[in-house]
Amino acid sequence: MPIDASIEDWDAIDWGRYLLASSKNPIHGQTTKAIEGFDEVARGMGKIFLTPSHPDTVREAFVTKADALRLSSIRNAILKPVLRDGLLTSEGERWKHDRRALAPIFTPRHVNGFAKGMARTTRDHLTRLLAEDTVAFDKVCVDLTYQVLSDVLFSGELDGGRQASLHDIDKFLSSMGRPDPLDFTNLPKWVPRLTRVGRMGVVKRLRKRIGLLGEARRTKITAGDTVPDDLLTLLLTATDADSDTLTPDQLVDQLITFIAAGHETTSRALTWLFYLLSQDTDARARMEAEVDALDMSGPAQKWGESLPYTRACLDEAMRLYPPAPFLSRELNRAETLGGHDLPEGAIVFGNIWMIHRHRKLWDQPDAFVPERFLPGAERPIGRFQYLPFGLGPRVCIGAQFAKMEALILTALIAREYRLHLDGPHPWPLARVTVRTEKPLMMRVEKR
Ligand code: HEM
């Protein structure tokens, strides 16, 4: 993909330009130095930035010395106003407790149990979503993954007000989920960020709608009614020795986090995959042949065993377009990383986008080559150069869920439909996730 057009060489006095470009689209904040060399260190705006890219430094920063990191103030400025103390944004004891309490629902046993529902929901909605000759495929994918999340984690109860919730979440992720140039400075939080003024109404509405849903379920549990065995019930009943059940506010924080983290990411993986396949008809034909040969009457959680090439296509799509492209942290103490002595407060910027296209880590870094992910591929892929789900203690809790979901949805779409690009090539825009800058128009061919 033509990433070169977005690479600029920023020199030391170019910070103003750099910040404006990064704020508009953080993908434009790539530097040639970072993508060709390892572990770039930069200074500016009173801060030191390390962008680790050597696999050893990536491991050192995010695994071995992970306790030296806290979530960065830029990340918090983007996500905290909405997600507050949800799992993605909490830290310290709160995060430890919640991660432990939530882990049981994402074990392979539980996740496998969701497969059937994922397939059923997809079958129920696909005909409606792909009914037109031409569709905005990015929107189709968001709608579908939202529906799946709603059904398997919340037993369909999010469905009331689906369009309104989708609209609000989309608005939040595309506008709130964008760094303001002031976020890169040391200015305090109370200094208004003009790019965010007037958008808190969306957040309030969303929190209210989700709060009502949670409290309705809580009332049922308290009354001893039969309730579904899903994430919502688990959240409401999760207790351990040192805490009570979640307060209404904490419940909304977690619900909104799982909605935000759990569907847009997966939808981006599907969007970019089908775009890439529309450009590589050989890969598409190979994938379709594999999907056509699949016995779909077998348990959906086992489909992956018969779809190695489809899985490789998904892995490769998430390499080129990692749905969640940045791991943004700060040092909570002075620390040495990759041989660089860094002070407390230094920014450690895990740039997954850049690592996934690094000139020294990949052959043909910008090309779509699913074969590199097949078992027995010529050049093994190291654990610390391919990071779509992050790494270390804060690795994505929903990774198994997402991989299974993406595979089931891909198989069901590819079995029935072929998508053709019907408009300009999409350009990636990094907000919280990597979306297409404009709607991805695709012509739908029924196979
Ligand atoms: C293709 C789909 C997905 C991708 C690429 C993805 C990627 C990521 C990444 C990179 C992180 C780490 C963020 C960081 O360290 O700053 C993360 C964290 C997280 N993800 Fe995902 N994710 C996906 C799907 C999901 C799903 C389906 C769920 C839930 C149903 C989910 C829930 C979360 C949560 C709650 C966290 C925060 C974990 C913590 O900090 O303890 N994600 N995800």
Side-chain angles (χ1 to χ4, degrees), residues 62 71 75 87-90 95 99 102 106 149 153 231 254 257-258 261-267 269 318 322-329 352 387-391 393-399 401-403 405-406:
F62 289 96
L71 303 178
R75 184 185 191 279
L87 195 63
L88 201 61
T89 35
S90 62
W95 171 77
R99 178 102 195 183
L102 293 168
F106 291 103
L149 191 79
L153 290 185
L231 179 72
Q254 297 298 3
T257 293
F258 278 95
H263 82 289
E264 247 218 27
T265 38
T266 314
S267 82
M318 287 196 289
F326 307 125
L327 309 174
S328 189
R329 305 286 196 272
I352 300 176
L387 311 161
F389 295 102
L391 75 167
R394 301 205 71 135
V395 68
C396 177
I397 197 171
F401 181 100
K403 281 194 256 185
E405 179 189 1

Side-chain angles (χ1 to χ4, degrees), residues 186-415:
N186 289 327
L187 283 174
K189 281 195 213 105
W190 53 261
V191 177
R193 273 43 173 175
L194 290 178
T195 56
R196 276 188 215 122
V197 169
R199 299 205 171 111
M200 286 312 280
V202 171
V203 174
K204 261 194 173 156
R205 222 171 29 235
L206 199 57
R207 288 189 70 89
K208 188 164 172 217
R209 192 173 304 122
I210 288 174
L212 289 173
L213 165 77
E215 291 317 310
R217 178 72 70 84
R218 195 196 297 268
T219 308
K220 278 193 195 163
I221 293 174
T222 315
D225 294 352
T226 313
V227 287
D229 184 18
D230 58 11
L231 179 72
L232 184 51
T233 298
L234 189 94
L235 282 168
L236 281 165
T237 51
T239 46
D240 66 15
D242 53 314
S243 79
D244 292 326
T245 50
L246 299 172
T247 63
D249 258 356
Q250 287 170 339
L251 178 69
V252 174
D253 292 351
Q254 297 298 3
L255 289 177
I256 221 165
T257 293
F258 278 95
I259 295 166
H263 82 289
E264 247 218 27
T265 38
T266 314
S267 82
R268 301 302 176 214
L270 294 175
T271 303
W272 289 109
L273 170 67
F274 280 92
Y275 162 66
L276 289 163
L277 290 171
S278 76
Q279 302 306 298
D280 185 338
T281 45
D282 289 345
R284 184 171 67 192
R286 185 168 172 190
M287 195 190 93
E288 284 176 356
E290 193 180 76
V291 167
D292 290 349
L294 175 71
D295 174 10
M296 284 194 173
S297 63
Q301 67 271 25
K302 299 224 162 169
W303 290 1
E305 292 168 16
S306 313
L307 300 174
Y309 189 72
T310 311
R311 268 190 286 143
C313 288
L314 265 164
D315 288 343
E316 179 69 339
M318 287 196 289
R319 181 185 71 79
L320 283 168
Y321 297 97
F326 307 125
L327 309 174
S328 189
R329 305 286 196 272
E330 286 169 11
L331 281 179
N332 59 28
R333 60 172 190 241
E335 189 50 89
T336 305
L337 295 174
H340 301 283
D341 294 329
L342 302 165
E344 198 233 311
I347 308 280
V348 179
F349 185 50
N351 189 335
I352 300 176
W353 175 279
M354 186 268 290
I355 293 170
H356 281 188
R357 291 181 184 239
H358 198 282
R359 289 356 193 192
K360 293 211 171 68
L361 296 174
W362 303 92
D363 299 326
Q364 301 183 67
D366 295 330
F368 180 62
V369 187
E371 289 73 15
R372 68 174 105 232
F373 281 98
L374 285 176
E378 221 167 89
R379 186 172 174 180
I381 294 168
R383 169 68 189 100
F384 302 103
Q385 72 180 80
Y386 181 63
L387 311 161
F389 295 102
L391 75 167
R394 301 205 71 135
V395 68
C396 177
I397 197 171
Q400 294 311 320
F401 181 100
K403 281 194 256 185
M404 195 173 75
E405 179 189 1
L407 194 77
I408 291 173
L409 272 54
T410 299
L412 287 167
I413 296 171
R415 176 89 149 224

